[in-house]
Amino acid sequence: MQVDFYQLSRDPVERVVPLLAGKVLESGARLSIAARDEGLRTRLSEALWAQDPPAFLAHGVAGAPHAARQPILIGESCDRANDAAMALLADGEWREDAAAFARAMLLFGDGATGAARELWRGFAGRDDIERRFFKQDERGRWKLAG
């Protein structure tokens, strides 16, 4: 599995999630977005719908009727009801259920840097996990670091 660490140093999570979700859908994959805080889940949902037509990102709530048909599911944990290949951890918290996906993206801000570093080190000796670290440049583009 691949775990991508995204350090949020420039843009807020509500701006980054639609960008990454759009890339996932462009690749033909489905996505599960996890955030424990209900307010954050609501803001992410609004941000996904707010994309300019026809680029708005259709999505649903994990556990809701017809969740299996949704290209993107938002929930407290990583949900595979829609056969998602990728998980996006929008709140900076690792969940072991993310390991069931081919790729997990961990977004973290300044407050979660220590936990992200600890997780990075914890994954270092595992043959089953490929780690990548992304930073934003001054223009807001994501670059693979080191």
Side-chain angles (χ1 to χ4, degrees), residues 1 8 13 20 43 46 57 61 81 83-84 86 100 105 117 125-126 128 132 141 144:
M1 102 163 281
L8 303 178
V13 68
L20 294 174
R43 292 190 309 276
E46 290 168 355
L57 300 168
V61 176
D83 290 324
M86 299 184 202
M105 295 169 276
R117 283 184 183 140
R126 293 183 56 176
D128 60 332
R132 299 188 314 171
R141 291 187 304 228
L144 186 60

Side-chain angles (χ1 to χ4, degrees), residues 46-65:
E46 290 168 355
L48 292 170
W49 284 122
Q51 303 303 297
D52 292 330
F56 72 88
L57 300 168
H59 61 282
V61 176

